[in-house]
Amino acid sequence: MLRPKVPAMPQPTGLVTPPAVVVEPTAVIQQTPQVPAPAPVVSAAPVPARPAVQVTPGAVIALVGSGTAVVLVVGAVLVSMLLAVAITGASVAICALVIRSLINADAKRR
């Protein structure tokens, strides 16, 4: 059998020195906790007399038009998916009838 060769680890040839580590002194300073100042009181804004969103007649027409377009596109997609499923089901049914008739015709010949 084949035996794997384990590589030997080479020994260092020169003098190896560890990298120099610089240690900086640190000081611990204790701070007294300060109490946060209370938040200023914000008065409530006055309630506007009219609604914030004003709908113009042009905006209403644009919303109705875009809504109609979305409904038509989603409807077309759903109808096409239903049509694809119906066509697939019909073709599978026709294939099943053809296979059944071939099997029956083969059985009558024997």
Side-chain angles (χ1 to χ4, degrees):
M1 285 294 199
L2 299 174
R3 294 187 182 184
K5 293 182 180 179
V6 180
M9 187 164 180
Q11 298 296 323
T13 56
L15 201 50
V16 179
T17 58
V21 178
V22 178
V23 178
E24 297 180 7
T26 58
V28 177
I29 301 172
Q30 293 183 354
Q31 296 179 352
T32 59
Q34 297 180 359
V35 179
V41 178
V42 179
S43 62
V47 178
R50 58 184 184 179
V53 178
Q54 293 181 354
V55 182
T56 61
V60 170
I61 292 173
L63 286 174
V64 170
S66 62
T68 304
V70 167
V71 167
L72 288 176
V73 168
V74 170
V77 169
L78 291 177
V79 167
S80 65
M81 289 173 62
L82 179 64
L83 187 61
V85 169
I87 291 172
T88 303
S91 64
V92 167
I94 291 172
C95 289
L97 288 176
V98 169
I99 291 173
R100 189 176 84 179
S101 68
L102 288 174
I103 291 174
N104 287 341
D106 189 35
K108 288 181 180 179
R109 288 184 192 162
R110 290 183 184 188

